[in-house]
Structure formats: C-alpha cells, structure tokens
Amino acid sequence: MSVLFFNSCCKDEDVPCDDPTNPKCPNYDPCLGKKIPSADFVMGHDIFNQDNEREFAIINSGVFAGFDITFRSDSTDSKYKHTWYLGAEVVNEASITRDFTDVPRPKTLEISHVIEYEPDTTCFPSDDGKDSIYKTFHL
C-alpha cells in the first residue's frame, strides 16, 4: 500500500529529463545540430518545367554549354557576406549568373567563393568567421 501511495505522489518533475535540446535537462547541449557555415555552392541553370515554371537544375558534372551558368551559395541568409572571384571579376552577392557563350572551347575555368560571418565561438572556439572554396568547370 505504501508503494502505491509513494508512486502516486511522484510528479513528472521528479523524473530527470534526458533531452539534449531542452535547456532544463542536465544533458542539454546548446551546440547540438549546429554546423560551421560553409562556402560550398552549386552550379547549374535556370530552366522551365512542363508547367512553364522556373526551376534550378544543378549540374554536378561541371560540364556546361556556356549559356547562363548560375553559381549559387548554400548559405543564403543575409548574415553572410559573399565574395565571388571569377577571373578578374569580383562580385558580392549570394549567387551570380554569367554567360560564357563567347569563350572559345574547350575551356576549363575556376571560380572561388568566400563567405564571412559572425563566428559562434561558444560551439566552435577555433572558427575565424570565414570559409572559402574553389571549383573548376568546363565549357
């Protein structure tokens, strides 16, 4: 009888929580699921589907005919500063589109992308708030 009485008096609050996403739990991890921002980007074309709606077609092969190639950052939030380097051109946008139809073929080109952001030094103490990447593509 006393066991039943004791169990009925226990509150849910007395049971320790085990949820790393809950700040009230002893195993709370404020860095769970957070990632250091990446300068990675995709290359592709805007196309129109059968309903005449615009879609973005990612070209993983890196081989293009040369018309209207779009370079789009994976980090599109306004908290990121973008710098693209394409030959002598420098652009500060989250994505850029360029036409290479006048460039002689075959040709291999390189594009670099740098992002700058406010680093989260609590979760990533060695993060300097910058990331960069370069990729080649072929015409």
Side-chain angles (χ1 to χ4, degrees):
M1 188 63 106
S2 62
V3 170
L4 288 174
F5 177 74
F6 178 74
N7 283 340
S8 66
C9 293
C10 287
K11 300 176 187 171
D12 286 341
E13 300 163 1
D14 295 338
V15 178
C17 65
D18 185 29
D19 181 359
T21 63
N22 184 347
K24 295 179 181 178
C25 294
N27 67 331
Y28 173 63
D29 182 358
C31 300
L32 185 69
K34 289 189 176 181
K35 296 179 182 176
I36 295 176
S38 169
D40 201 11
F41 62 94
V42 293
M43 299 182 276
H45 295 288
D46 281 328
I47 60 170
F48 290 93
N49 65 19
Q50 62 199 23
D51 297 323
N52 207 28
E53 297 169 338
R54 178 174 269 162
E55 292 182 355
F56 185 70
I58 296 172
I59 310 298
N60 289 321
S61 68
V63 179
F64 295 90
F67 62 91
D68 295 336
I69 302 172
T70 298
F71 307 94
R72 182 182 293 169
S73 173
D74 292 341
S75 304
T76 57
D77 193 293
S78 62
K79 65 184 176 183
Y80 301 109
K81 177 187 176 211
H82 300 269
T83 307
W84 297 90
Y85 300 94
L86 181 57
E89 185 179 13
V90 178
V91 179
N92 297 107
E93 300 290 334
S95 68
I96 61 173
T97 301
R98 294 296 178 267
D99 188 311
F100 298 93
T101 53
D102 293 337
V103 175
R105 304 317 193 258
K107 183 78 171 183
T108 299
L109 300 169
E110 184 177 291
I111 184 166
S112 299
H113 179 229
V114 178
I115 62 167
E116 297 175 63
Y117 53 89
E118 187 67 37
D120 180 349
T121 55
T122 301
C123 295
F124 309 105
S126 62
D127 186 11
D128 65 356
K130 281 187 174 184
D131 191 41
S132 63
I133 190 170
Y134 78 92
K135 295 183 181 185
T136 57
F137 60 100
H138 311 280
L139 303 175

